[in-house]
Amino acid sequence: MTALPDNDLLRPAAPSPQRLGDLAATLDLAPAPATADGWAAAEVRGVVADNRRVRGGELFAAIGGAHVHGARFAPAAVAAGAAAVLTDPAGAGLLPADLGVPVLVTPDVPAVLGRLAAALYGEPGRALGTFAVTGTNGKTTVAFMVDHALRALGRTTGLVGTVEVRVAGRAVPATLTTPQPDELQALLAAMVEAGADDLVMEVSSHALALGRVDPLVYDVAGFTNLTQDHLDFHGTLEGYFQAKASLFTPRRSRRGVVLVDDDWGRRLVEQARADGAAAVALAVAAPAEVPADWRVGDVRADATGTAFTLTHRDGRTLRTATALPGGFNLANAALAAAMVLESGVDVAALQAALDAAGGLSPVVPGRMEQLSERPRVIVDFAHNTDALAQALAALRPATAGRLVVLFGAAGERDRSKRPDMGRVAAEAADVVVVTDDDPHDEPPAQIRAEVLAGARAVSGATVDEIPSRAEAIRTVVLGAGDDDTVLVAGRGHETVQEIAGIPYHLDDRDEVRAALASRTGGPTA
């Protein structure tokens, strides 16, 4: 599965050619025994690990897969214009003798792929200011906020994340949080070519564990929080934490800003500093006795948003606001501001830029995105226990009527969180509607039953089950009173629902708008 669509925006238009001999010497690659003399003088203009994306003059990286080795697709890649092939010894044994292009061999192709791509494209990450955000929840919002602040400062940015990939103001949808190594380096080269000054990225724990971002060293890395998620991949919370923590080492970042409102953040600061990393602590809701370099104070929340002051222990102070609701978005905004300041931006310059831009209030698709006022209907990506609880807590104070939540749980993911999600929903909401999320190849009814078990163990809330997500959204929107709040949670910006291996178009926001139009008899705000 590729992380990025095959789009000209995402690859440099005119990469400089590189000699295979120079690349082999730099990365300790060896020619396959059957490779003809003169291979070292051959030139390549890029690298791809998907034969369907090959363009003339590029190197095809043939990686061993779970079922089929990529070397099986090397002839197709060469037919499409590949000028060389990189593979492992097993892959080299699968190549036809008459392939017709040079073949380089390395024991571990994924381990060298990022460094190879960076070398091919001229180390594009070094030409950009680079910002990375990791954590269980809030990555997308913080990334959008950092991007918003940098653009307010007059800088041209590139953005990589769960929702979209943006290059100097032009955007395409993304399908994975963090692209594959060859795609990422090509994307950075395209950003440099387009005149970008800065890169802002979400970096997932999967990407860190699998080395997708290597060999990038970020100027500033930010950490939001850590709660139970992705245990199907990492096995334990400790393994999940260590994957995140690897971003805050000298190998991967020059400076870290860590939210220390929970024990994981406090532990991360200590571990990062012990590893020799430059890490600063940010306290938003942490007790006063928790040491912090940056601290949030003078918080004032009303119907228009939350204003706050961010103060460094050296006396530097920034006063700004965000229109996005909830204490977690206050923390997101503070982290974004601190990251920009820790990159070397003068506080007065950022103050003037945010004042002119109206604070840290970018539109973040599918993140507490409000589609209607009466009833208030909000679509949010909250897809784990903590995110769901925080979203509901943020919406309760301004809800005069009932608080209604509609959500499900993804199939083939961490099953242990399902009853907990049902429980926190029933504890916080007046009405809970359990529906399907992305069942994948798991029986949808089984997933719903596990969520419902947690919800029905709590007394007080009305709990319903509506399998069809589109029907569930229509039902709750049409049934809501003007003073009610409806939270449609779990999928946010996503537009494809996968059931039994088949993708179906489903955008929660479109379904909400259609239901609102039926409710009012006309278009909605």
Side-chain angles (χ1 to χ4, degrees):
M1 178 178 181
T2 119
L4 299 178
D6 194 6
N7 187 297
D8 288 340
L9 175 67
L10 307 177
R11 300 166 77 171
S16 299
Q18 303 280 340
R19 295 176 71 253
L20 278 183
D22 295 338
L23 292 169
T26 300
L27 300 169
D28 196 25
L29 309 177
T35 297
D37 292 341
W39 67 270
E43 294 182 336
V44 292
R45 295 178 177 271
V47 56
V48 291
D50 184 335
N51 67 287
R52 295 165 296 183
R53 297 167 59 94
V54 169
R55 297 180 183 179
E58 293 182 322
L59 181 149
F60 172 59
I63 300 172
H67 304 292
V68 180
H69 199 292
R72 298 287 188 189
F73 304 102
V78 172
V85 171
L86 172 69
T87 191
D88 53 31
L94 298 173
L95 297 176
D98 59 350
L99 188 61
V101 299
V103 176
L104 298 181
V105 179
T106 186
D108 188 345
V109 177
V112 78
L113 185 56
R115 292 189 294 128
L116 171 63
L120 263 171
Y121 296 120
E123 304 290 345
R126 296 179 183 177
L128 298 163
T130 49
F131 297 80
V133 186
T134 197
T136 305
N137 301 315
K139 292 188 297 295
T140 298
T141 300
V142 173
F144 269 73
M145 286 176 167
V146 171
D147 177 81
H148 175 81
L150 292 171
R151 288 188 291 113
L153 287 161
R155 300 182 69 82
T156 301
T157 62
L159 178 69
V160 181
T162 306
V163 175
E164 66 184 20
V165 175
R166 192 188 308 149
V167 179
R170 299 172 60 199
V172 296
T175 55
L176 288 180
T177 300
T178 310
Q180 304 292 351
D182 56 309
E183 298 172 336
L184 176 58
Q185 294 296 328
L187 175 57
L188 300 190
M191 290 179 180
V192 172
E193 193 175 73
D197 302 302
D198 298 295
L199 162 73
V200 184
M201 277 189 69
E202 296 178 52
V203 179
S204 68
S205 57
H206 293 69
L208 291 166
L210 297 171
R212 284 188 203 151
V213 296
D214 298 339
L216 261 180
V217 180
Y218 295 95
D219 292 316
V220 182
F223 175 82
T224 59
N225 50 60
L226 189 129
T227 60
Q228 182 177 332
D229 208 2
H230 303 304
L231 298 193
D232 53 303
F233 179 81
H234 296 288
T236 64
L237 265 176
E238 180 64 22
Y240 182 34
F241 170 75
Q242 293 300 340
K244 297 285 189 187
S246 70
L247 181 59
F248 299 85
T249 60
R251 182 169 72 92
R252 283 182 163 156
S253 64
R254 296 181 178 88
R255 195 159 194 83
V257 182
V258 179
L259 187 63
V260 293
D261 285 354
D262 63 20
D263 290 339
W264 291 111
R266 295 191 276 275
R267 179 182 168 193
L268 178 56
V269 166
E270 294 176 0
Q271 180 169 315
R273 290 171 177 170
D275 288 339
V280 299
L282 164 66
V284 177
E289 61 269 19
V290 173
D293 302 278
W294 290 98
R295 191 172 292 276
V296 166
D298 192 18
V299 177
R300 300 182 185 182
D302 58 28
T304 65
T306 305
F308 64 95
T309 298
L310 179 65
T311 304
H312 194 271
R313 53 185 170 78
D314 65 9
R316 284 178 292 159
T317 299
L318 177 80
R319 181 72 181 172
T320 191
T322 180
L324 298 178
F328 58 95
N329 276 319
L330 164 62
N332 290 337
L335 178 57
M339 288 177 65
V340 173
L341 291 170
E342 287 293 336
S343 74
V345 171
D346 179 72
V347 69
L350 183 58
Q351 183 72 70
L354 293 181
D355 287 349
L360 285 161
S361 302
V363 175
V364 188
R367 291 347 187 242
M368 296 301 278
E369 186 175 354
Q370 184 166 320
L371 302 178
S372 172
E373 291 184 1
R374 291 179 62 82
R376 181 170 57 160
V377 182
I378 290 175
V379 172
D380 189 66
F381 190 56
H383 62 286
N384 56 50
T385 307
D386 185 66
L388 188 61
Q390 290 204 43
L392 289 166
L395 297 174
R396 172 60 80 184
T399 299
R402 299 175 304 164
L403 180 55
V404 182
V405 60
L406 176 154
F407 72 103
E412 300 182 327
R413 300 295 185 269
D414 179 11
R415 293 179 60 179
S416 65
K417 69 182 181 183
R418 294 173 186 172
D420 288 338
M421 291 176 68
R423 173 182 54 77
V424 300
E427 288 173 346
D430 301 300
V431 177
V432 175
V433 176
V434 176
T435 186
D436 290 339
D437 192 299
D438 276 298
H440 298 295
D441 287 323
E442 191 173 348
Q446 173 181 302
I447 301 171
R448 295 193 305 273
E450 293 176 9
V451 176
L452 285 163
R456 287 174 172 157
V458 178
S459 60
T462 299
V463 179
D464 292 321
E465 177 184 11
I466 304 177
S468 164
R469 193 172 184 95
E471 180 185 343
I473 291 173
R474 182 175 178 83
T475 299
V476 297
V477 171
L478 291 180
D482 285 349
D483 292 331
D484 291 346
T485 294
V486 175
L487 173 64
V488 179
R491 291 175 45 81
H493 66 286
E494 294 178 349
T495 60
V496 175
Q497 183 183 43
E498 184 182 317
I499 304 174
I502 300 173
Y504 298 89
H505 177 79
L506 179 67
D507 186 326
D508 285 357
R509 296 163 297 176
D510 288 347
E511 299 299 331
V512 167
R513 292 184 185 106
L516 289 168
S518 296
R519 176 189 176 92
T520 62
T524 62

